[in-house]
Amino acid sequence: MSSLTLIFKKDPIVSLQGQPVLLFNQQHSTLLEALEFKKIKIFSECRSGYCGACKTRLLAGKVTYLTPPLASLAADECLPCCCVPDSNVNLDLSSQGVQVITRPPHQLRKTLLQD
């Protein structure tokens, strides 16, 4: 007799300078699209043919690239235009003017520490 084990992967939380702002739940094909949908200010020229303009410092977490990045990146940088979060991520972008995720502090802390 064998047992069936189901593994559920939770959707990553995207934070900006420590403020959780969105749950990346595959409604958008890239991290850049999710950020733009949430009205987060990020400079990008990707659609105009200039690669590297959306380069963003990754303070914590991991991303997976859908296509190999064309621009050179430091170990703590990512290109949101061609990646998706692989875990909770914290980006060095301003959360000013963006609606942040609100939960009781003890639940939010527990969620962010799970990864």
Side-chain angles (χ1 to χ4, degrees):
M1 181 179 265
S2 67
S3 65
L4 178 64
T5 303
L6 298 176
I7 299 174
F8 294 99
K9 184 176 178 185
K10 71 175 192 69
D11 294 329
I13 296 171
V14 178
S15 298
L16 306 181
Q17 297 175 345
Q19 294 293 315
V21 294
L22 68 94
L23 187 65
F24 190 87
N25 56 8
Q26 285 71 39
Q27 288 182 354
H28 305 283
S29 59
T30 65
L31 182 55
L32 179 62
E33 285 182 9
L35 294 169
E36 289 174 334
F37 180 79
K38 190 72 175 182
K39 307 282 190 255
I40 295 165
K41 295 178 183 176
I42 179 169
F43 182 74
S44 69
E45 288 291 324
C46 313
R47 296 170 190 103
S48 299
Y50 179 73
C51 185
C54 68
K55 190 184 294 187
T56 303
R57 198 162 144 241
L58 186 63
L59 301 173
K62 291 184 189 179
V63 296
T64 299
Y65 286 94
L66 305 171
T67 58
L70 298 176
S72 61
L73 298 170
D76 66 344
E77 294 176 323
C78 72
L79 288 179
C81 65
C82 59
C83 73
V84 294
D86 194 37
S87 67
N88 291 346
V89 294
N90 186 13
L91 303 173
D92 192 15
L93 294 171
S94 173
S95 62
Q96 184 175 359
V98 178
Q99 183 178 0
V100 298
I101 298 171
T102 55
R103 287 192 199 168
H106 68 280
Q107 287 181 347
L108 181 59
R109 184 170 181 258
K110 181 181 175 184
T111 302
L112 293 175
L113 294 176
Q114 284 179 344
D115 280 334

